[in-house]
Amino acid sequence: MKTPYDAALRVRQRELDEIGMAIRTEALALDELENAGRRAKAMLLNEERLAATELALSSPGWLAHMRRQGQQLGVRRAETHARIDRLRACAADALGTARGIQMAADHYRGEAARAEAAAEQAASDDLGAVAFLKARRDSGR
């Protein structure tokens, strides 16, 4: 049964779908940043080991660059985490609103079903009363 709340519910559902997609996209980006951070850390540790054994291969500039890159990845990870947290808060808000709309739609359907059942019962009562009055009239003759 259609309700006046169906359109609003569809809009909220689309909004939830879009937020879910955005969260998945950010989660993938976060995963890529985590992998890049692990690779950079592994390269840095490998270079530091090499530099410790071979002084001629030491490259302070490269090491500083890799450390800066690791810091930048950390900042980007923190920003991505913050975006995911904001999206999750939006999703929770949209889900709460959608549940409220769904409850209103269910209430509307329930009230419509009760009204329909009451109308059917009234019609049945009317038919019974008419039959009773006819039977009473016919028995009086």
Side-chain angles (χ1 to χ4, degrees):
M1 156 188 252
K2 286 189 174 195
T3 71
Y5 304 100
D6 291 347
L9 194 56
R10 281 192 303 273
V11 167
R12 284 296 175 178
Q13 189 58 49
R14 273 190 227 113
E15 182 181 350
L16 279 167
D17 292 343
E18 289 171 5
I19 292 171
M21 293 283 288
I23 288 173
R24 283 188 288 280
T25 300
E26 291 295 335
L28 287 173
L30 182 61
D31 193 42
E32 289 175 16
L33 289 170
E34 298 281 342
N35 290 335
R38 281 191 289 276
R39 284 192 306 272
K41 188 174 184 178
M43 288 173 55
L44 183 60
L45 289 173
N46 189 37
E47 186 67 23
E48 285 175 341
R49 266 189 248 118
L50 279 173
T53 59
E54 296 288 332
L55 294 177
L57 295 177
S58 179
S59 174
W62 186 84
L63 290 174
H65 168 73
M66 290 305 291
R67 285 189 187 107
R68 279 192 309 276
Q69 184 178 357
Q71 290 171 345
Q72 290 170 349
L73 286 171
V75 168
R76 289 174 55 199
R77 276 194 309 267
E79 291 170 348
T80 303
H81 274 293
R83 282 193 301 273
I84 289 173
D85 289 342
R86 283 192 303 275
L87 286 168
R88 285 181 177 154
C90 288
D93 183 48
L95 184 60
T97 304
R99 282 186 181 158
I101 294 169
Q102 182 64 50
M103 288 172 57
D106 291 344
H107 179 73
Y108 181 89
R109 284 187 194 98
E111 288 297 316
R114 280 188 283 287
E116 185 178 331
E120 287 175 6
Q121 184 62 48
S124 176
D125 291 346
D126 290 346
L127 290 175
V130 167
F132 174 75
L133 291 175
K134 279 184 183 179
R136 190 169 171 203
R137 185 186 65 196
D138 291 342
S139 69
R141 288 189 178 174

